[in-house]
Amino acid sequence: MAAVLTPEILADPVALTRALVDIESVSGDEQEITDAVEAALLAAGRLSVSRLGNVVCARTDLGRPSRVILAGHLDTVPIADNLPATIAGDLMYGCGTSDMKSGSAIALHLAATVAEPAFDVTYLFYDCEEVESERNGLFKVSQQQPDWLDGSFAILLEPTHGLVEAGCQGTMRVIVRTHGTRAHAARSWHGHNAIHDAGEVLRRLSAYQARQVTIDGCAYREGLNAVRIAGGVASNVIPDRCEIEVNFRFAPDRGEADALAHLREVFQGYELEVTDSAPGALPGLDRPAARQFLDVVGEAPVAKLGWTDVSRFAAMGIPALNFGPGDPNFAHKRDEHVEIPKIRAGAETLRRWLTTPAD
Ligand SMILES: [Zn+2]
């Protein structure tokens, strides 16, 4: 039987978290949970609800001067004998409790219960966040329904343990390649050893001084690291090739092109191939809706160091931040859990922000 999110459940973000956790929704298998969320949004009666695959978008249309977006994914990583949810004291255990059904539950709870927000609000619930980018529901929306992402500011309710994590760093992976000449190890002077040439690449990496950049009060700490190295043909052959895989995490004041230009400079004289790249996102905390949100939270924001879907919003010119009740340290773990008071506090903070008259 399909799960039903009753008005009583929707009125309580903790009960709603539990109900969402108990609908199993590993990436690719979100039909049932999306149906339940869509039905709850339609039942609210005052939202225009649209659907694209297993993405649901619900919008208020109150003619407010600005529109904000609250977004959360509905999928989880594969379960690990941790369903249904269990409660022990102040903790709720289960797959998705932290990442991020507690956050999506808050958004759905607000969609169902805040009748007169001070902003127009778009609530977005999407699928396939935990798998490759092409399947990501938010990515599909950006390609097929970009108007759903219209807004002046977005909050993603990914786990931050109740902190405001602004912007995010970009990430780039490159292969730095050295070339030599093969020869028999017994007559090595006929060859040129590509593995030895990797020494200079590694020396540049260990001497590298990573930047720390402060933007809107958030400190972003960059990192440039070798993460893998491969080379060698056989134990009696001078190798003609060595590959060093390098991971660059860059602050959001650099674009991808800048980041690549910087890597070309660092590894000047070496062949360089980009294997993966994703831009960062500026914190955008100077926007009025963002400032009002920070006033309500009353705590200084911190920089998001990992890569999250906020950069999809940033790529469309919408500043976005992460704010969710889950503890990111327990995401994807067998003992994944969320602190129940953080769910209530997060729901209250967002409710106060949404209902405080805009200045
Ligand atoms: Zn997540």
Side-chain angles (χ1 to χ4, degrees):
M1 202 187 74
V4 177
L5 304 172
T6 62
E8 294 70 44
I9 292 173
L10 288 162
D12 175 2
V14 176
L16 184 53
T17 300
R18 187 172 196 168
L20 291 181
V21 169
D22 286 349
I23 307 174
E24 193 180 316
S25 57
V26 177
S27 310
D29 189 19
E30 298 95 335
Q31 172 95 32
E32 185 186 357
I33 195 167
T34 312
D35 288 351
V37 168
E38 182 183 24
L41 292 165
L42 284 167
R46 39 189 175 68
L47 299 162
S48 356
V49 180
S50 322
R51 182 149 170 179
L52 172 72
N54 283 329
V55 182
V56 201
C57 172
R59 298 158 55 102
T60 65
D61 277 300
L62 301 164
R64 303 286 194 251
S66 66
R67 174 175 292 281
V68 298
I69 302 170
L70 293 183
H73 62 83
L74 294 172
D75 61 318
T76 69
V77 295
I79 55 170
D81 297 323
N82 52 0
L83 283 188
T86 54
I87 289 181
D90 269 349
L91 304 179
M92 186 191 301
Y93 286 86
C95 186
T97 46
S98 165
D99 186 8
M100 59 171 281
K101 288 184 174 174
S102 51
S104 295
I106 289 175
L108 183 56
H109 160 74
L110 295 170
T113 58
V114 177
E116 287 282 319
F119 314 95
D120 269 311
V121 188
T122 300
Y123 300 95
L124 261 179
F125 301 92
Y126 61 101
D127 61 334
C128 287
E129 190 274 343
E130 301 287 6
V131 290
E132 62 274 21
S133 190
E134 304 76 61
R135 293 171 63 194
N136 183 300
L138 203 53
F139 169 72
K140 287 188 180 159
V141 168
S142 72
Q143 301 294 301
Q144 295 171 44
Q145 294 285 348
D147 52 308
W148 291 4
L149 302 179
D150 207 20
S152 57
F153 172 57
I155 294 181
L156 207 56
L157 288 100
E158 287 279 12
T160 64
H161 213 201
L163 298 173
V164 178
E165 295 190 338
C168 81
Q169 302 218 109
T171 174
M172 182 171 281
R173 274 185 301 140
V174 297
I175 304 280
V176 183
R177 210 168 269 128
T178 62
H179 293 279
T181 310
R182 271 194 209 194
H184 195 296
R187 295 171 197 84
S188 59
W189 54 90
H190 291 306
H192 180 91
N193 193 316
I195 290 182
H196 292 186
D197 285 355
E200 169 60 14
V201 175
L202 299 177
R203 194 197 58 73
R204 290 185 197 179
L205 281 166
S206 51
Y208 184 80
Q209 300 279 340
R211 284 191 320 157
Q212 178 158 320
V213 192
T214 301
I215 308 167
D216 289 356
C218 301
Y220 293 89
R221 200 168 166 182
E222 296 192 326
L224 182 66
N225 288 282
V227 291
R228 189 171 313 185
I229 187 160
V233 181
S235 51
N236 57 352
V237 177
I238 302 302
D240 57 351
R241 195 167 146 118
C242 182
E243 294 187 337
I244 303 106
E245 184 178 354
V246 173
N247 183 299
F248 185 33
R249 297 295 171 134
F250 53 95
D253 63 332
R254 296 190 205 262
E256 288 173 281
D258 284 353
L260 179 57
H262 178 64
L263 293 186
R264 289 204 191 285
E265 205 174 293
V266 171
F267 299 111
Q268 205 178 12
Y270 294 92
E271 183 184 322
L272 195 146
E273 182 195 340
V274 178
T275 53
D276 184 45
S277 173
L282 285 164
L285 300 176
D286 50 342
R287 299 282 179 107
R291 269 193 285 113
Q292 277 167 257
F293 175 67
L294 291 174
D295 284 348
V296 172
V297 174
E299 263 180 69
V302 297
K304 181 80 191 173
L305 299 180
W307 194 89
T308 77
D309 275 342
V310 295
S311 66
R312 290 186 205 280
F313 287 104
M316 304 189 71
I318 305 164
L321 54 77
N322 293 283
F323 175 73
D327 180 345
N329 295 312
F330 288 97
H332 302 189
K333 291 185 72 175
R334 199 174 278 276
D335 61 346
E336 178 170 355
H337 59 264
V338 62
E339 293 166 33
I340 289 168
K342 292 250 189 244
I343 303 176
R344 297 200 192 284
E348 263 330 294
T349 298
L350 286 163
R351 174 183 300 278
R352 241 184 305 142
W353 170 60
L354 287 180
T355 54
T356 303
D359 52 29

